[in-house]
Amino acid sequence: MSRPVALVTGASSGIGLCFAQQLARKGYDLVLVARRLERLEKIASELSQEHSIDCRVEGRDLADPRAVADLVSDLERDGVEVEVLINNAGYGLAGSYLSQPWQQHEKFIRVLFTAVCELTHRLLPGMKLRGKGRIIQVSSVSGFMSGTAGHTLYGAVKAALNLFTECLALECKGSGVHVTSLCPGFTYTEFHDVTGTREKMSKMPWFLWLQADRVASDALDCCERGKIYCVPGLVYKTLLIILWLIPAPLRRWLVARQGSSYRDSSETPVKTN
Ligand SMILES: NC(=O)c1ccc[n+]([C@@H]2O[C@H](COP(=O)([O-])OP(=O)(O)OC[C@H]3O[C@@H](n4cnc5c(N)ncnc54)[C@H](OP(=O)(O)O)[C@@H]3O)[C@@H](O)[C@H]2O)c1
């Protein structure tokens, strides 16, 4: 790879795919990570032809505890130096906290938080050494509010990701590395198909929906300008200000009331073996 390299996790669809397309347009060589290898190969072949860049495809399951270490060691062996890291891979788990076995939650935390922290930890030293790097952690507006049943761990993980990113951004100040937490609201992607909540979600008003392309471009712009948080769309910026201004009990009541109309909060507990 002869150009600066950007690594995008969850590049096989949605927001991650948009990041890959925009970074290709900017002239980055790409490392695309996700589980669906065929999809990644198709995307890589289209982007490399269209933008004359090199695309490397990495079919990895980030729920596997060895995935990040193996990936980074393969990149190091081949002399690939990552300048832009987009930690985007993620999904939601439907139902109340007890309606999923512990193993599902464990995998969820691994993909949405542990793998993010580990990739950052393994790639940041090189960025600091070269005096240039960009890291975008794809979080969510859910990280700023207590959720409802059906979103219990998701919001908590995104809140942890926000605080981690904020602290890391402060730690990296002056090093040439910018770290940004991207906090989108509802975005048109495959996310709600994977969670199985598409039908309920289609009841949400149109003005709450964001386009994935816009979400990715706002994030790249915010990160370039050294912003720690990026909340795409005026609707969500306003919503967050209102939620911050009202007392916490009222905020929790409002979020729970609204959330129950579109979240799957099924209560049937499952036994963890
Ligand atoms: N859509 C929204 O409304 C919304 C709102 C706020 C935040 N977000 C966040 O945005 C990020 C991207 O989601 P999206 O909306 O673009 O959904 P998406 O279209 O379903 O994309 C999710 C991506 O994550 C990858 N992924 C999932 N599990 C993985 C695993 N175990 N190992 C490797 N890759 C994995 C998927 O690839 P494979 O299936 O091929 O592995 C896919 O490329 C997530 O972190 C999500 O929490 C989404």
Side-chain angles (χ1 to χ4, degrees):
M1 290 181 148
S2 49
R3 287 156 284 261
V5 175
L7 185 154
V8 184
T9 70
S12 60
S13 69
I15 300 171
L17 172 57
C18 292
F19 270 118
Q21 290 165 335
Q22 291 179 28
L23 287 160
R25 228 173 282 144
K26 288 177 189 285
Y28 283 91
D29 284 338
L30 296 174
V31 179
L32 305 178
V33 183
R35 289 165 302 177
R36 287 169 293 179
L37 198 55
E38 260 181 47
R39 271 219 199 185
L40 285 183
E41 275 164 355
K42 188 165 175 283
I43 292 163
S45 124
E46 283 167 9
L47 291 181
S48 48
Q49 275 176 31
E50 205 174 317
H51 302 286
S52 307
I53 55 156
D54 288 327
C55 262
R56 175 175 173 139
V57 157
E58 294 287 347
R60 312 267 173 169
D61 181 352
L62 294 171
D64 173 354
R66 287 291 316 161
V68 171
D70 291 347
L71 169 65
V72 174
S73 120
D74 288 355
L75 295 179
E76 282 171 357
R77 183 199 60 212
D78 297 341
V80 177
E81 293 178 342
V82 175
E83 183 178 299
V84 177
L85 168 62
I86 314 283
N87 275 311
N88 161 79
Y91 56 97
L93 287 176
S96 67
Y97 186 54
L98 290 184
S99 69
Q100 298 280 347
W102 169 246
Q103 289 84 350
Q104 290 300 332
H105 289 308
E106 196 175 26
K107 277 188 182 180
F108 178 82
I109 296 169
R110 190 161 281 289
V111 176
L112 275 88
F113 192 63
T114 314
V116 173
C117 297
E118 188 181 350
L119 254 179
T120 304
H121 191 267
R122 289 183 183 275
L123 294 179
L124 183 58
M127 293 181 187
K128 281 193 158 175
L129 204 67
R130 295 186 291 277
K132 185 161 190 204
R134 302 287 181 263
I135 301 177
I136 296 175
Q137 320 287 31
V138 181
S139 180
S140 166
V141 282
S142 306
F144 295 118
M145 53 188 94
S146 40
T148 52
H151 222 38
T152 303
L153 197 53
Y154 185 85
V157 163
K158 296 298 192 184
L161 191 54
N162 282 347
L163 201 53
F164 166 59
T165 307
E166 195 171 325
C167 295
L168 190 70
L170 296 173
E171 203 178 290
C172 289
K173 215 167 177 204
S175 68
V177 179
H178 297 182
V179 192
T180 298
S181 184
L182 167 62
C183 303
F186 300 121
T187 308
Y188 285 118
T189 64
E190 294 176 17
F191 186 91
H192 299 102
D193 303 309
V194 176
T195 334
T197 52
R198 173 64 62 208
E199 205 185 314
K200 284 194 172 202
M201 292 306 296
S202 59
K203 292 182 194 147
M204 299 299 296
W206 61 269
F207 59 83
L208 284 180
W209 286 97
L210 299 164
Q211 300 296 333
D213 206 39
R214 155 87 189 277
V215 167
S217 66
D218 276 15
L220 290 171
D221 183 49
C222 283
C223 192
E224 207 42 54
R225 290 190 287 131
K227 293 206 171 271
I228 298 180
Y229 283 105
C230 175
V231 178
L234 190 61
V235 168
Y236 283 101
K237 287 185 181 79
T238 314
L239 198 72
L240 282 186
I241 292 169
I242 294 170
L243 285 176
W244 275 323
L245 289 177
I246 61 180
L250 179 59
R251 181 170 65 234
R252 282 195 286 271
W253 178 79
L254 277 173
V255 174
R257 186 171 167 272
Q258 181 61 19
S260 60
S261 62
Y262 59 85
R263 295 258 178 259
D264 173 3
S265 53
S266 71
E267 262 303 346
T268 329
V270 293
K271 197 173 170 332
T272 296
N273 295 316

